Amino acid sequence: MRRIRFTRAGVAALLLIGSWTAAGTVPASAQGAPDSPAARSTDSAPASTALLDAMRRDFGLTRAEAEDRLAAERRATDLAPEARRTAGPAYGGAWFDAGSEKLTVAVTRDAGAGTVEALRSAGATVRTVEHSARRLDAAKARIDRLDAPSGVSSWSVDPAGNTVVVNVVEGERSDNDVRAFVDKAREAGPVTVRTVPAPAVTFAAGTVGGDPYYTGNVRCSIGFSVHGGFVTAGHCGGVGQQVRGWDGSYIGNFQGSSFPGNDYAWVNVGSGWWTVPVVLGWGTVPDQLVRGSAEAPVGASICRSGSTTRWHCGRVLAKNETVNYSQGAVHQMTKTSVCAQGGDSGGSFISGDQAQGVTSGGWGNCSSGGETWFQPVNEILNRYGLTLHTA
C-alpha cells in the first residue's frame, strides 16, 4: 500500500462526511442524484463521437454509415405515430428495417388501397399481415394475467412475426408447468414459442464497498456487505428510509441506525440486488476481496474506498476516540490519517483483506490533506447480530 504524507490544516474543521460541505452549514454534502435523462434531452443535437464510435464497433459501420443510420432512424421515429393513425383499425405494427433503412408498417387485409398508398407516399414500406396490433396486444394482455413458471423467460408482441412470442428457457420446454403455461398462452391468441439459453435475471449491481447509494437527495457510500444487506454510517439515514443504488433502482431500507452516540447503520438488500464481499479499488488498485474483520493495530496502514474521492490510504492514528460533532459526541471511533470528503460517508475502511470500519467524518479534504474517523465494523456486526459477507 502506498504511504501518503499530509499537511495539517491550520484550523481543524470537523465535518460529517455525507452531511455537510467544508463550510459546515449546507445539509447533504453527500452529492445530489444526477440530473434525470429527461432534463438533458438532445433530440436535435448531432450524434456524439462516443455514440458513432460505438456504432462503428458494434455494427461494423463506417462513420458515414453510422450517421446515415441515425438519420434514417430519426425519420422512422417521426413517421411511426402518423403511420399508425393512417392505418387505423388495420394497423398491425411497425418496425425499422436496417437493410432498407425504412419504417415497415404492417396492415391487415382490411386496409384500403388509399391507406396503403398514403403510407408508401410517406416513405414507409407496407406489409400485409393476418392479425391487427389490437388483437396481438389483447392476446399479450391475457398472457400477462397468467402465473408464469421459472422456465418461461419472457413474452412480447413481435410485429414483424405478427405473433406473440413466448420465450422458454432451453431445456425447460418439456417441463409440465411450462407446457401448461404455453397451452394457456395459445388460447389467448396467436403465439410462437422460442427458446433462449438462460433465464432472465436483473442487471443491478451487487452491493460493493465504496459504491454510492442515495437516500432522498443525499449520497453516501456502501461500507461492507453482510448477509442480508450492507453496513454504512448512521448519519446517512434513519430507520425505515428508502435506499436507491447507483443506477437509481430500489435496494432496500435502513433496518437499524444510530447517531449520535454511535455512527452506524445497516440496510437490507433485495429487489434484484445481492451482496458481494468486495471493496472497490476504483482503478487505483484491483478491487479487494474481504476475507475477515481482524482489527488492525494503531500505526498499521489502512485504505478507504468511497464514492467521492474513491481510493485513499494512510495509517491508523488512534482508537476508542470520542468525536464531538455538532449533533453530539460519537464514541469508540478509530482515527486515521486518510482523507475523505462529502459523499464518502459510510464507505469502507480496509487493511489488506480485513474489514475495519465505515467512514464517519473528519476534517480537511483530499487536496490539502486531513484526518478521518471510522466506526469499527465489529461493533456494528455485534450490535445488530450481522454476519460479514466474506470471500
Side-chain angles (χ1 to χ4, degrees), residues 121-178:
S121 297
T125 299
V126 180
R127 178 184 296 179
T128 302
V129 295
E130 181 178 355
H131 309 296
S132 69
R134 184 176 299 175
R135 183 183 179 191
L136 295 175
D137 289 341
K140 194 263 181 183
R142 286 191 286 272
I143 298 172
D144 285 342
R145 294 191 285 270
L146 300 178
D147 186 14
S150 59
V152 176
S153 177
S154 62
W155 55 93
S156 64
V157 172
D158 174 15
N162 198 228
T163 186
V164 179
V165 173
V166 175
N167 294 298
V168 175
V169 178
E170 193 172 28
E172 298 288 334
R173 190 161 181 169
S174 60
D175 178 82
N176 288 337
D177 292 338
V178 171

Side-chain angles (χ1 to χ4, degrees), residues 10-95:
V11 177
L14 284 172
L15 68 149
L16 280 176
I17 309 300
S19 293
W20 295 285
T21 62
T25 57
V26 181
S29 68
Q31 303 298 315
D35 296 337
S36 67
R40 302 193 301 272
S41 175
T42 56
D43 290 344
S44 59
S48 69
T49 298
L51 174 58
L52 294 172
D53 286 346
M55 293 181 71
R56 292 169 64 188
R57 179 193 66 219
D58 296 337
F59 299 147
L61 304 175
T62 65
R63 183 184 180 92
E65 288 170 339
E67 290 172 337
D68 289 345
R69 172 77 64 83
L70 289 172
E73 289 173 351
R74 283 193 292 270
R75 290 193 297 270
T77 299
D78 293 341
L79 176 58
E82 182 59 33
R84 182 166 195 151
R85 287 191 292 269
T86 300
Y91 181 72
W95 61 96

Side-chain angles (χ1 to χ4, degrees), residues 1-6 299-304 311-317 336-339 349-351:
M1 299 181 183
R2 62 191 179 93
R3 302 181 64 179
I4 301 177
R5 178 177 295 172
F6 295 106
S301 58
I302 193 167
C303 294
R304 181 193 55 74
W311 185 268
H312 287 274
C313 299
R315 294 184 301 112
V316 177
L317 299 178
T336 75
S337 64
V338 187
C339 66
F349 267 93
I350 189 168
S351 181

Side-chain angles (χ1 to χ4, degrees), residues 325-346:
Y325 295 122
S326 62
Q327 295 95 331
V330 178
H331 306 282
Q332 296 179 322
M333 303 279 273
T334 298
K335 181 168 67 176
T336 75
S337 64
V338 187
C339 66
Q341 294 177 200
D344 288 331
S345 269

Side-chain angles (χ1 to χ4, degrees), residues 205-210 221-233 251 253-256 264-270 273-279 290-293 346 348 355-358 375-391:
T207 53
V208 178
S221 301
I222 292 170
F224 295 94
S225 287
V226 297
H227 291 287
F230 65 84
V231 294
T232 188
I251 295 179
N253 297 77
F254 279 84
Q255 300 298 304
Y264 51 59
W266 83 281
V267 175
N268 69 316
V269 166
W273 290 73
W274 63 94
T275 60
V276 181
V278 170
V279 172
V290 178
R291 299 190 185 277
S293 57
S348 325
Q356 298 298 306
V358 299
Q375 186 85 66
V377 69
N378 287 330
E379 181 182 356
I380 310 172
L381 300 177
N382 291 335
R383 170 63 180 82
Y384 294 119
L386 301 170
T387 301
L388 189 69
H389 190 169
T390 56

Side-chain angles (χ1 to χ4, degrees), residues 184-245:
K184 291 179 181 178
R186 292 189 191 282
E187 294 173 2
V191 164
T192 299
V193 178
R194 296 176 184 164
T195 58
V196 293
V201 296
T202 63
F203 287 116
T207 53
V208 178
D211 238 351
Y213 69 88
Y214 299 88
T215 55
N217 66 343
V218 173
R219 170 168 61 81
C220 281
S221 301
I222 292 170
F224 295 94
S225 287
V226 297
H227 291 287
F230 65 84
V231 294
T232 188
H235 70 263
C236 290
V239 174
Q241 275 195 275
Q242 189 177 107
V243 172
R244 294 173 289 115

